[in-house]
């Protein structure tokens, strides 16, 4: 039945219904909120690529080498790891740029779009050695970003999923969007931009749920106060309520179960 179809992002759907336990109902492969998130993440790959290139150059510099003297082997691994991620970004982006060009009947000779703010900061010049691949990333992102909806509807295509040496697999357009988003997440992790999720002691503030599965996102900046949530029933409370719980072993405004009638 068509009306029971839901967004293919499933549990990671931006509009996942926690009460009913399903992703957003839609007859499209991905819901609008997931498409918007996909577009933002793919757009960010241009900057991820440049930042990774700078990370790569920093790890080769004198200052860092002094700090990590005696661990040259490990450093090589980091560089190889970052280079592999960059290569995968170029491969996946150009693969789907090509598929979209075919689907949208775009000319292969179309001049690459030039994004003026190529420099991430004024003091950091663009990395010279990576410009060719960086241009390919920019061009591919320029083709894909305005066409994420079209990409999400592309049928399964046989591609080398992660690189030219990879086996041929069938990948649909919406899976490609997820793959590109995963690359953005991996780039963020390599650049140290992800936040840890802290596991906290205590029981869920929801009386109907007795789970001891409380979590909190590590504060990202000074003054930020992320809430505490229960991973079982998804109930969430302010951190100040959790501090109250830690002192009194009771959540504020917690409805106590009736002792007797
Ligand atoms: Zn969705
Ligand atoms: Zn709970």
């Amino acid at each position: 039945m068509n009306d029971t179809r839901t967004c293919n992002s499933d549990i990671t759907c931006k509009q996942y219904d926690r009460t009913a336990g399903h992703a957003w109902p839609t007859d499209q492969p991905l819901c609008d909120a997931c498409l918007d998130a996909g577009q933002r993440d793919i757009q960010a790959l241009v900057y991820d690529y440049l930042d990774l290139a700078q990370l790569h150059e920093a790890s080769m510099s004198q200052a860092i080498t002094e700090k990590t003297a005696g661990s040259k082997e490990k450093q090589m691994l980091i560089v190889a790891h970052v280079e592999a991620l960059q290569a995968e970004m170029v491969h996946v982006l150009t693969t789907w740029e090509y598929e979209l060009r075919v689907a949208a009947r775009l000319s292969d000779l179309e001049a690459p779009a030039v994004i003026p703010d190529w420099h991430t900061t004024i003091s950091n010049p663009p990395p010279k050695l990576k410009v060719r691949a960086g241009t390919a990333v920019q061009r591919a992102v320029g083709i894909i970003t305005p066409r994420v909806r079209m990409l999400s509807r592309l049928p399964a295509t046989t591609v080398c999923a992660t690189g030219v040496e990879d086996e041929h697999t069938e990948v649909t357009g919406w899976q490609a969007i997820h793959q590109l988003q995963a690359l953005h997440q991996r780039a963020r992790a390599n650049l140290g931009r992800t936040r840890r999720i802290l596991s906290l002691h205590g029981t869920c503030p929801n009386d109907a749920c007795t789970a001891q599965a409380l979590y909190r996102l590590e504060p990202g900046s000074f003054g930020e106060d992320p809430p505490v949530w229960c991973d079982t029933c998804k109930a969430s409370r302010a951190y100040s309520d959790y501090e109250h719980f830690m002192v009194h072993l009771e959540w504020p405004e917690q409805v106590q179960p009736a002792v007797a009638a």
Side-chain angles (χ1 to χ4, degrees):
M1 271 200 305
N2 243 11
D3 52 336
T4 55
R5 284 178 56 190
T6 52
C7 172
N8 278 316
S9 294
D10 196 23
I11 196 144
T12 61
C13 176
K14 295 290 164 201
Q15 300 183 94
Y16 188 82
D17 187 336
R18 303 226 175 268
T19 328
H22 61 72
W24 192 254
T26 171
D27 59 354
Q28 296 298 311
L30 297 176
C31 72
D32 285 351
C34 286
L35 280 177
D36 287 347
Q39 190 176 40
R40 278 195 303 271
D41 289 352
I42 293 168
Q43 180 87 64
L45 286 171
V46 171
Y47 302 100
D48 291 341
Y49 188 88
L50 284 173
D51 292 346
L52 285 171
Q54 287 178 355
L55 183 77
H56 173 250
E57 291 205 336
S59 72
M60 304 275 275
S61 81
Q62 196 74 36
I64 306 289
T65 310
E66 273 170 22
K67 278 182 196 163
T68 55
S71 63
K72 283 204 173 99
E73 216 173 316
K74 206 173 180 181
Q75 202 176 314
M76 287 292 286
L77 276 173
I78 295 167
V79 172
H81 180 67
V82 168
E83 280 187 340
L85 177 57
Q86 285 185 292
E88 191 176 332
M89 286 164 75
V90 173
H91 174 80
V92 179
L93 279 167
T94 51
T95 296
W96 293 100
E97 176 199 4
Y98 174 78
E99 295 298 333
L100 271 178
R101 278 182 186 277
V102 172
R105 298 172 195 276
L106 297 175
S107 162
D108 279 338
L109 302 169
E110 188 180 297
V114 177
I115 298 174
D117 50 351
W118 165 265
H119 301 247
T120 45
T121 61
I122 290 163
S123 59
N124 283 325
K128 295 279 186 295
L129 291 169
K130 305 286 171 184
V131 165
R132 270 177 183 281
T135 307
V137 165
Q138 250 184 37
R139 192 195 57 211
V141 168
I143 293 293
I144 296 170
T145 313
R147 298 178 179 86
V148 278
R149 190 175 294 274
M150 182 188 257
L151 175 56
S152 77
R153 290 172 183 164
L154 288 187
T157 312
T158 306
V159 294
C160 300
T162 61
V164 282
E165 287 142 38
D166 200 11
E167 280 176 42
H168 288 77
T169 37
E170 293 258 293
V171 180
T172 60
W174 65 265
Q175 286 173 322
I177 292 177
H178 282 179
Q179 196 185 354
L180 289 164
Q181 289 186 278
L183 283 171
H184 172 56
Q185 288 308 319
R186 278 167 59 197
R188 278 171 53 86
N190 275 281
L191 293 163
R193 292 195 191 133
T194 43
R195 285 202 267 164
R196 287 182 301 166
I197 290 173
L198 310 172
S199 170
L200 304 177
H201 292 286
T203 45
C204 179
N206 178 1
D207 284 334
C209 169
T210 52
Q212 300 208 344
L214 299 180
Y215 291 93
R216 184 187 191 220
L217 207 58
E218 184 178 44
S221 56
F222 179 76
E224 202 195 354
D225 200 17
V228 175
W229 80 89
C230 166
D231 204 46
T232 303
C233 70
K234 313 296 173 195
S236 113
R237 295 291 283 265
Y239 188 67
S240 55
D241 286 358
Y242 177 72
E243 287 175 319
H244 181 279
F245 171 83
M246 287 308 281
V247 176
H248 306 279
L249 293 177
E250 191 177 280
W251 290 88
E253 295 140 51
Q254 187 174 30
V255 182
Q256 293 300 315
V259 179

